[in-house]
Amino acid sequence: MLNIIPSPCFVIEENKLLDNLRLLKKVREEASVDILVALKGMAFWHYFPLMKQYLSGACASSVNEARLIFEEMGVKSHTYAPAYSEADFEQLLGLSKTISFNSLSQWKKFKSKMLQHPEIKAGLRINPGYSEIETDIYNPAVPGSRLGIPIEQMPQTLPEGISGLHFHVMCEQDSFVLERVLNVVEEKFGHLLKQAKWLNMGGGHHITRSDYDVEHLIALLKGFKLRYPNLKVILEPGEAVGWQTGFLLATVLDVVESGGVKTAILDVSFSAHMPDTLEMPYKPVIRGAGNPDEYPYTYRMGGATCLAGDFMGDYSFPKELRTDDQLIFEDMIHYTMVKTTLFNGVKHPHIGKIDSDGEFTLLRSVGYEEYKLRLS
Ligand SMILES: Cc1ncc(COP(=O)(O)O)c(C=O)c1O
């Protein structure tokens, strides 16, 4: 199979995506909640028609995402962004089912337009001021955060025209974290929850991870709905949809040695193609490789750009690495393609799929035209 896939290539595996979608559908049905796919984490639009069969729709944080949802999933998005420009807002009115505002000033600015569109539900993003995320770059509840309205600024009653609330303070976390977050949200914002018609609990729910306690989540959501029967509950995970659904195929272009360090230079870049590995940071899994000295041959993985820090290491292999060897970076579907850049003009990985019958199809190749079009 690998020999027919061009390198480098992001490859999604349909069976694995289906497993995730089935599980999310079960939660949706058993807990009577809506589950959306968040495009910021997972915008593999070839599979939007499939996702539509299992999920309740999608959420967008920009006009581009909302338009992609409309064009490829055929539904209007649940939209939230830190702020809307006048021009973007006009477009979002035609593309959105709900629009959540990050501040009361943004709500005031666009209120009259929203009232002319009673079919679009308006919400406010609240900031519960509580989260258990340890990496600050992913933590919307850090002191001074620009994301969401803190309780001190919220009026006692929901502003006229606002029907829902939205929060997002989780990242790769389980339902026990959600339980503690909900305790804080209810304690601080409970009176507003009683007045609202819907509550969007954001993303960061790692529902499809193998050790996630799905039954606990369902029980938690059911209990919440008993306390707030007035609320339609929405979850909008991105990562959980794309979690462990595919890989990035790479090829060794050269092996160099300096200061006692052996580096395999690859045709992929950590900076341009797997930016979370440097931002989070985390060390991605390479199929068949181990930690340094676990196997006899240890190497650093060198990225394809000229950025000195574009490397990851170290990994050990049972065999010596040679030019043209292929490597598989596991779990490279969510938060990769949506974040890639054409920095250095390095070759962007192709995008392909392995369908349920095990057949590979090349879906897209990004080339010089795309690189040139983004510059002038
Ligand atoms: C508002 C909002 N909703 C949903 C998500 C999706 O989160 P995840 O992909 O971690 O589930 C994010 C991610 O940053 C977000 O900011």
Side-chain angles (χ1 to χ4, degrees):
M1 165 65 72
L2 289 185
N3 54 1
I4 61 161
I5 304 178
S7 180
C9 191
F10 289 112
V11 182
I12 191 166
E13 293 169 84
E14 193 172 298
N15 276 338
K16 295 183 178 173
L17 177 65
L18 268 168
D19 286 346
N20 286 355
L21 293 174
R22 286 193 191 103
L23 185 63
L24 293 168
K25 187 173 183 194
K26 168 187 154 84
V27 175
R28 219 186 111 191
E29 289 176 351
E30 292 186 21
S32 306
V33 297
D34 280 357
I35 300 190
L36 315 170
V37 56
L39 263 65
K40 54 177 81 64
M42 174 71 176
F44 209 116
W45 56 265
H46 175 81
Y47 279 116
F48 279 3
L50 184 75
M51 290 183 203
K52 190 179 174 181
Q53 292 172 36
Y54 291 83
L55 303 177
S56 324
C59 72
S61 44
S62 59
V63 172
N64 285 335
E65 286 184 354
R67 192 170 155 189
L68 189 60
I69 292 166
F70 193 64
E71 287 180 4
E72 298 299 328
M73 203 181 276
V75 296
K76 292 191 174 181
S77 81
H78 293 254
T79 305
Y80 157 79
Y84 305 109
S85 69
E86 299 267 3
D88 281 0
F89 198 78
E90 279 305 322
Q91 293 190 64
L92 288 170
L93 285 172
L95 297 166
S96 306
K97 190 170 173 174
T98 71
I99 299 183
S100 292
F101 296 87
N102 187 55
S103 67
L104 290 166
S105 44
Q106 277 264 302
W107 162 242
K108 280 188 196 120
K109 181 170 178 186
F110 294 112
K111 178 178 172 179
S112 60
K113 290 211 165 111
M114 285 297 285
L115 295 180
Q116 286 164 26
H117 289 270
E119 76 285 3
I120 309 173
K121 295 183 199 125
L124 292 177
R125 174 162 173 175
I126 52 171
N127 189 326
Y130 176 88
S131 83
E132 299 184 19
I133 301 171
E134 279 164 12
T135 315
D136 277 357
I137 190 178
Y138 292 116
N139 187 357
V142 284
S145 168
R146 71 188 192 291
L147 303 170
I149 307 164
I151 184 64
E152 306 80 61
Q153 290 174 24
M154 284 297 281
Q156 276 303 308
T157 50
L158 282 185
E160 183 221 338
I162 294 290
S163 62
L165 294 172
H166 178 290
F167 70 78
H168 169 77
V169 287
M170 288 171 55
C171 178
E172 296 190 340
Q173 286 168 320
D174 63 23
S175 55
F176 298 91
V177 175
L178 177 63
E179 189 165 26
R180 293 191 284 276
V181 167
L182 283 179
N183 284 341
V184 176
V185 169
E186 290 187 60
E187 200 183 297
K188 290 187 179 173
F189 297 88
H191 56 294
L192 297 170
L193 294 179
K194 295 272 179 212
Q195 301 162 31
K197 294 201 169 78
W198 53 276
L199 174 67
N200 185 325
M201 298 185 184
H205 314 278
H206 225 180
I207 302 170
T208 50
R209 197 171 67 197
S210 57
D211 59 353
Y212 191 99
D213 190 340
V214 173
E215 296 309 321
H216 176 259
L217 173 69
I218 292 170
L220 176 70
L221 293 172
K222 279 183 169 170
F224 182 84
K225 288 187 72 133
L226 282 179
R227 292 193 296 286
Y228 300 94
N230 52 309
L231 289 179
K232 173 181 250 314
V233 170
I234 304 164
L235 307 184
E236 46 175 35
E239 180 156 347
V241 179
W243 179 247
Q244 300 282 6
T245 55
F247 56 88
L248 173 58
L249 176 72
T251 299
V252 177
L253 299 180
D254 194 11
V255 179
V256 297
E257 186 168 356
S258 170
V261 177
K262 280 190 177 165
T263 302
I265 311 274
L266 308 177
D267 61 353
V268 291
S269 159
F270 297 95
S271 164
H273 308 143
M274 300 174 264
D276 273 359
T277 62
L278 299 179
E279 279 178 20
M280 186 111 177
Y282 78 95
K283 188 177 169 189
V285 172
I286 298 178
R287 197 175 294 175
N291 284 322
D293 299 327
E294 206 175 318
Y295 297 113
Y297 302 98
T298 293
Y299 299 87
R300 180 171 289 176
M301 297 295 119
T305 73
C306 305
L307 175 74
D310 188 4
F311 70 85
M312 187 62 50
D314 293 337
Y315 296 86
S316 68
F317 295 83
K319 285 202 279 187
E320 237 177 304
L321 285 187
R322 293 178 196 283
T323 300
D324 294 336
D325 279 354
Q326 292 193 311
L327 297 179
I328 290 174
F329 287 87
E330 300 285 14
D331 193 25
M332 281 298 163
I333 299 301
H334 55 87
Y335 288 105
T336 50
M337 280 158 272
V338 291
K339 283 186 142 187
T340 55
T341 69
L342 295 173
F343 174 50
N344 261 211
V346 287
K347 190 176 173 59
H348 189 283
H350 303 275
I351 300 176
K353 65 168 181 175
I354 295 175
D355 66 22
S356 306
D357 301 326
E359 205 150 300
F360 174 77
T361 308
L362 183 63
L363 297 171
R364 178 157 316 272
S365 295
V366 175
Y368 172 69
E369 286 308 319
E370 288 79 5
Y371 172 69
K372 187 177 178 188
L373 274 174
R374 289 170 56 157
L375 300 166
S376 195

